[in-house]
Coordinates of all heavy atoms in Angstrom, one line a residue:
Chain G
S201 N 34.5 256.5 -55.0 CA 33.5 256.9 -54.0 C 33.8 256.1 -52.7 O 34.6 255.2 -52.7 CB 32.1 256.6 -54.4 OG 31.6 255.4 -54.0
Y204 N 30.8 251.5 -47.5 CA 31.0 250.9 -46.2 C 31.4 249.4 -46.3 O 30.9 248.7 -47.2 CB 29.8 250.9 -45.3 CG 29.3 252.3 -45.0 CD1 28.2 252.9 -45.7 CD2 30.0 253.1 -44.1 CE1 27.8 254.2 -45.4 CE2 29.6 254.4 -43.9 CZ 28.5 254.9 -44.5 OH 28.1 256.2 -44.2
M213 N 34.6 253.1 -43.6 CA 34.4 253.4 -45.0 C 35.6 253.1 -45.8 O 36.7 253.4 -45.5 CB 34.0 254.9 -45.2 CG 33.6 255.2 -46.6 SD 32.5 256.6 -46.7 CE 30.9 255.9 -46.8
R244 N 17.0 267.1 -64.5 CA 17.4 268.4 -63.9 C 17.8 269.3 -64.9 O 17.5 270.5 -64.9 CB 18.5 268.2 -62.9 CG 18.1 267.4 -61.6 CD 19.2 266.8 -60.9 NE 20.0 265.8 -61.7 CZ 20.9 265.0 -61.2 NH1 21.1 265.0 -59.9 NH2 21.5 264.1 -61.9
M331 N 3.3 260.5 -44.1 CA 2.6 259.5 -44.9 C 1.1 259.8 -44.7 O 0.7 260.4 -43.7 CB 3.0 258.1 -44.5 CG 2.7 257.9 -43.1 SD 3.4 256.3 -42.4 CE 3.3 255.3 -43.8
S366 N 20.6 264.1 -46.2 CA 21.0 265.1 -47.2 C 21.6 264.4 -48.4 O 21.4 264.8 -49.5 CB 22.0 266.0 -46.6 OG 23.1 265.3 -46.0
R374 N 14.3 262.0 -55.5 CA 14.3 261.8 -54.1 C 14.2 263.1 -53.4 O 15.2 263.9 -53.5 CB 15.5 261.0 -53.6 CG 15.5 260.5 -52.2 CD 14.7 259.2 -52.1 NE 14.7 258.8 -50.7 CZ 15.6 258.0 -50.1 NH1 16.5 257.5 -50.8 NH2 15.5 257.7 -48.8
I548 N 5.6 286.0 -89.2 CA 6.8 286.3 -90.0 C 7.2 287.7 -89.8 O 8.3 288.1 -89.6 CB 6.7 285.8 -91.4 CG1 6.7 284.3 -91.4 CG2 7.8 286.4 -92.3 CD1 6.4 283.7 -92.8
N576 N 9.6 291.0 -82.5 CA 10.3 291.5 -83.7 C 11.6 290.7 -84.0 O 12.6 291.2 -83.9 CB 10.5 293.0 -83.4 CG 11.1 293.7 -84.6 OD1 11.2 293.1 -85.7 ND2 11.6 294.9 -84.4
R584 N 13.6 278.4 -83.9 CA 14.7 277.8 -83.1 C 14.2 277.8 -81.6 O 14.3 276.8 -80.9 CB 16.0 278.6 -83.2 CG 17.1 278.0 -82.4 CD 18.4 278.8 -82.6 NE 19.2 278.6 -81.4 CZ 20.0 277.5 -81.2 NH1 19.9 276.5 -82.0 NH2 20.7 277.5 -80.1
D599 N 2.2 286.4 -95.0 CA 1.2 287.0 -95.8 C 0.3 286.0 -96.5 O -0.9 286.2 -96.5 CB 1.9 287.9 -96.9 CG 2.4 289.2 -96.3 OD1 1.9 289.6 -95.2 OD2 3.3 289.8 -96.8
E601 N -0.6 283.0 -95.5 CA -1.6 282.5 -94.6 C -2.7 283.5 -94.3 O -3.9 283.2 -94.2 CB -0.9 282.0 -93.3 CG -0.1 280.8 -93.5 CD 1.3 281.0 -94.1 OE1 1.6 282.2 -94.3 OE2 2.0 280.1 -94.5
R610 N 4.3 273.2 -88.8 CA 5.6 272.6 -88.7 C 5.7 271.8 -87.4 O 5.3 272.3 -86.4 CB 6.7 273.6 -88.8 CG 8.1 273.1 -88.7 CD 9.1 274.2 -88.5 NE 10.3 273.7 -87.9 CZ 11.5 273.6 -88.5 NH1 11.6 274.1 -89.7 NH2 12.5 273.1 -87.9
Chain W
rG1 P 23.6 266.1 -42.8 OP1 23.8 266.9 -41.7 OP2 22.4 266.0 -43.6 O5' 24.1 264.6 -42.5 C5' 24.2 264.3 -41.1 C4' 24.8 262.9 -41.0 O4' 23.8 262.0 -41.6 C3' 26.1 262.6 -41.8 O3' 27.2 262.9 -41.0 C2' 26.0 261.1 -42.0 O2' 26.3 260.4 -40.9 C1' 24.5 260.9 -42.3 N9 24.1 261.0 -43.7 C8 23.4 261.9 -44.3 N7 23.2 261.7 -45.6 C5 23.9 260.5 -45.8 C6 24.2 259.8 -47.0 O6 23.7 260.0 -48.2 N1 25.0 258.7 -46.8 C2 25.5 258.3 -45.6 N2 26.2 257.2 -45.6 N3 25.3 259.0 -44.5 C4 24.5 260.1 -44.7
rC2 P 28.6 263.4 -41.7 OP1 29.5 263.7 -40.6 OP2 28.2 264.4 -42.7 O5' 29.1 262.1 -42.4 C5' 29.6 261.0 -41.6 C4' 30.1 259.9 -42.6 O4' 29.0 259.3 -43.3 C3' 31.1 260.4 -43.6 O3' 32.4 260.6 -43.2 C2' 30.9 259.4 -44.7 O2' 31.7 258.2 -44.3 C1' 29.5 259.0 -44.6 N1 28.7 259.8 -45.6 C2 28.6 259.4 -46.9 O2 29.3 258.3 -47.2 N3 27.9 260.0 -47.8 C4 27.2 261.1 -47.5 N4 26.5 261.8 -48.4 C5 27.2 261.6 -46.1 C6 28.0 260.9 -45.2
rC3 P 33.3 261.7 -43.8 OP1 34.5 261.8 -42.9 OP2 32.5 262.9 -44.0 O5' 33.7 261.1 -45.2 C5' 34.7 260.0 -45.3 C4' 34.9 259.6 -46.7 O4' 33.7 259.1 -47.3 C3' 35.3 260.8 -47.6 O3' 36.6 261.1 -47.5 C2' 34.9 260.2 -49.0 O2' 35.9 259.2 -49.4 C1' 33.6 259.4 -48.6 N1 32.4 260.3 -48.9 C2 31.9 260.4 -50.2 O2 32.5 259.8 -51.1 N3 30.9 261.2 -50.5 C4 30.3 261.8 -49.5 N4 29.2 262.6 -49.8 C5 30.7 261.8 -48.1 C6 31.8 261.0 -47.9
rC32 P 14.8 301.3 -89.1 OP1 14.7 302.2 -90.2 OP2 13.6 301.3 -88.1 O5' 15.1 299.9 -89.6 C5' 16.1 299.6 -90.5 C4' 16.3 298.1 -90.7 O4' 16.7 297.6 -89.4 C3' 15.1 297.3 -91.0 O3' 14.8 297.3 -92.4 C2' 15.5 295.9 -90.5 O2' 16.4 295.3 -91.4 C1' 16.2 296.3 -89.2 N1 15.3 296.3 -88.1 C2 15.0 295.0 -87.5 O2 15.5 294.0 -88.0 N3 14.2 295.0 -86.4 C4 13.7 296.1 -85.9 N4 12.9 296.0 -84.9 C5 14.0 297.4 -86.5 C6 14.8 297.4 -87.5
rU34 P 10.0 292.9 -95.5 OP1 11.0 293.7 -96.0 OP2 8.7 292.9 -96.1 O5' 10.6 291.4 -95.5 C5' 10.2 290.4 -94.6 C4' 11.5 289.7 -94.1 O4' 11.9 290.5 -92.9 C3' 11.2 288.3 -93.6 O3' 12.4 287.5 -94.0 C2' 11.2 288.4 -92.1 O2' 11.6 287.3 -91.4 C1' 12.1 289.6 -91.8 N1 11.9 290.3 -90.6 C2 13.0 290.9 -90.0 O2 14.1 290.8 -90.5 N3 12.8 291.5 -88.8 C4 11.6 291.7 -88.2 O4 11.5 292.3 -87.1 C5 10.5 291.1 -88.9 C6 10.7 290.5 -90.0
rG35 P 12.2 286.6 -95.3 OP1 13.6 286.0 -95.5 OP2 11.5 287.3 -96.3 O5' 11.3 285.4 -94.8 C5' 11.8 284.6 -93.7 C4' 11.2 283.2 -93.9 O4' 9.8 283.2 -93.9 C3' 11.6 282.5 -95.2 O3' 11.7 281.1 -94.9 C2' 10.4 282.7 -96.1 O2' 10.3 281.7 -97.1 C1' 9.3 282.6 -95.1 N9 8.1 283.4 -95.5 C8 8.0 284.6 -96.0 N7 6.8 285.0 -96.3 C5 6.0 283.9 -95.9 C6 4.6 283.7 -96.0 O6 3.7 284.5 -96.4 N1 4.2 282.4 -95.6 C2 5.1 281.5 -95.1 N2 4.6 280.3 -94.8 N3 6.4 281.6 -95.0 C4 6.8 282.9 -95.5
rU36 P 13.1 280.2 -95.3 OP1 14.2 281.1 -95.3 OP2 12.7 279.4 -96.4 O5' 13.2 279.2 -94.0 C5' 13.6 279.7 -92.7 C4' 13.2 278.8 -91.7 O4' 11.7 278.8 -91.5 C3' 13.5 277.3 -92.0 O3' 13.8 276.7 -90.8 C2' 12.2 276.8 -92.5 O2' 12.1 275.4 -92.4 C1' 11.2 277.5 -91.7 N1 9.9 277.6 -92.2 C2 8.9 276.8 -91.7 O2 9.2 276.0 -90.8 N3 7.7 276.9 -92.3 C4 7.3 277.7 -93.3 O4 6.2 277.7 -93.7 C5 8.4 278.6 -93.8 C6 9.6 278.5 -93.3
rA38 P 19.5 279.3 -87.6 OP1 19.0 279.4 -89.0 OP2 20.9 278.9 -87.4 O5' 19.4 280.7 -86.9 C5' 18.3 281.0 -86.0 C4' 18.7 282.2 -85.2 O4' 19.2 281.8 -83.9 C3' 19.8 283.0 -85.8 O3' 19.7 284.4 -85.3 C2' 21.1 282.4 -85.2 O2' 22.2 283.2 -85.1 C1' 20.6 282.1 -83.8 N9 21.2 280.9 -83.2 C8 21.5 279.7 -83.8 N7 22.1 278.9 -83.0 C5 22.1 279.5 -81.7 C6 22.5 279.2 -80.5 N6 23.0 278.0 -80.2 N1 22.3 280.0 -79.5 C2 21.8 281.2 -79.7 N3 21.3 281.7 -80.9 C4 21.5 280.8 -81.9
rC69 P 21.8 267.5 -57.1 OP1 20.8 267.2 -58.1 OP2 21.7 266.8 -55.7 O5' 23.2 267.1 -57.7 C5' 23.6 267.4 -59.0 C4' 24.9 266.9 -59.3 O4' 25.9 267.5 -58.4 C3' 25.1 265.4 -59.0 O3' 24.6 264.6 -60.0 C2' 26.7 265.3 -58.9 O2' 27.3 265.4 -60.1 C1' 27.0 266.6 -58.1 N1 27.0 266.4 -56.7 C2 28.2 265.9 -56.1 O2 29.1 265.6 -56.9 N3 28.2 265.7 -54.8 C4 27.2 266.0 -54.0 N4 27.3 265.8 -52.7 C5 26.0 266.5 -54.5 C6 25.9 266.7 -55.9
rG70 P 24.1 263.1 -59.7 OP1 23.5 262.5 -60.9 OP2 23.4 263.1 -58.4 O5' 25.5 262.3 -59.4 C5' 26.4 262.1 -60.5 C4' 27.5 261.2 -60.0 O4' 28.4 262.0 -59.1 C3' 27.1 260.1 -59.1 O3' 26.7 259.0 -60.0 C2' 28.4 259.7 -58.4 O2' 29.3 259.1 -59.2 C1' 28.9 261.1 -58.1 N9 28.5 261.6 -56.8 C8 27.3 262.4 -56.5 N7 27.2 262.6 -55.2 C5 28.3 262.1 -54.6 C6 28.7 262.0 -53.2 O6 28.2 262.5 -52.2 N1 29.9 261.3 -53.1 C2 30.6 260.7 -54.1 N2 31.7 260.1 -53.7 N3 30.3 260.8 -55.4 C4 29.1 261.4 -55.5
rG71 P 25.7 257.9 -59.4 OP1 25.2 257.2 -60.6 OP2 24.7 258.5 -58.4 O5' 26.7 257.0 -58.6 C5' 26.3 256.3 -57.5 C4' 27.5 255.9 -56.7 O4' 28.3 257.1 -56.4 C3' 27.2 255.2 -55.4 O3' 27.0 253.9 -55.6 C2' 28.4 255.6 -54.6 O2' 29.5 254.7 -54.9 C1' 28.7 257.0 -55.0 N9 28.0 258.0 -54.3 C8 26.9 258.8 -54.7 N7 26.4 259.5 -53.8 C5 27.2 259.2 -52.6 C6 27.1 259.8 -51.3 O6 26.3 260.6 -50.9 N1 28.0 259.2 -50.5 C2 28.9 258.2 -50.9 N2 29.7 257.8 -49.9 N3 29.0 257.7 -52.1 C4 28.1 258.3 -52.9
rC72 P 25.8 253.1 -54.8 OP1 25.8 251.7 -55.3 OP2 24.6 253.9 -54.9 O5' 26.4 253.2 -53.3 C5' 27.6 252.5 -53.0 C4' 27.9 252.7 -51.5 O4' 28.2 254.1 -51.3 C3' 26.7 252.4 -50.6 O3' 26.6 251.0 -50.3 C2' 27.2 253.2 -49.4 O2' 28.2 252.5 -48.7 C1' 27.8 254.4 -50.0 N1 26.8 255.5 -50.2 C2 26.4 256.3 -49.0 O2 27.0 256.0 -48.0 N3 25.5 257.3 -49.1 C4 24.9 257.5 -50.3 N4 24.1 258.5 -50.4 C5 25.3 256.8 -51.5 C6 26.2 255.8 -51.4
rC74 P 21.1 250.2 -45.9 OP1 20.8 249.1 -45.0 OP2 21.1 250.0 -47.4 O5' 20.2 251.5 -45.6 C5' 20.0 251.9 -44.3 C4' 19.2 253.2 -44.3 O4' 19.8 254.2 -45.1 C3' 17.8 253.1 -44.9 O3' 16.8 252.5 -44.0 C2' 17.5 254.5 -45.2 O2' 17.1 255.2 -44.1 C1' 18.8 255.0 -45.7 N1 18.9 254.9 -47.2 C2 18.3 255.9 -48.0 O2 17.7 256.8 -47.4 N3 18.4 255.8 -49.3 C4 19.1 254.8 -49.9 N4 19.1 254.8 -51.2 C5 19.7 253.8 -49.1 C6 19.6 253.9 -47.8
rA76 P 10.5 251.8 -46.7 OP1 11.1 250.9 -45.8 OP2 10.6 251.6 -48.2 O5' 9.0 252.1 -46.4 C5' 8.3 251.3 -45.5 C4' 7.3 252.1 -44.8 O4' 7.9 252.8 -43.7 C3' 6.6 253.2 -45.6 O3' 5.6 252.8 -46.4 C2' 6.1 254.2 -44.5 O2' 5.0 253.7 -43.9 C1' 7.3 254.1 -43.5 N9 8.3 255.1 -43.7 C8 9.3 255.2 -44.6 N7 10.0 256.3 -44.5 C5 9.4 257.0 -43.5 C6 9.6 258.3 -42.9 N6 10.6 259.1 -43.3 N1 8.8 258.7 -42.0 C2 7.8 257.9 -41.6 N3 7.5 256.7 -42.1 C4 8.3 256.3 -43.0

Side-chain angles (χ1 to χ4, degrees):
Chain G
S201 94
Y204 298 107
M213 186 154 261
R244 293 162 296 194
M331 58 186 333
S366 55
R374 190 82 183 269
I548 285 171
N576 184 10
R584 179 178 157 79
D599 286 338
E601 289 78 7
R610 179 189 156 113

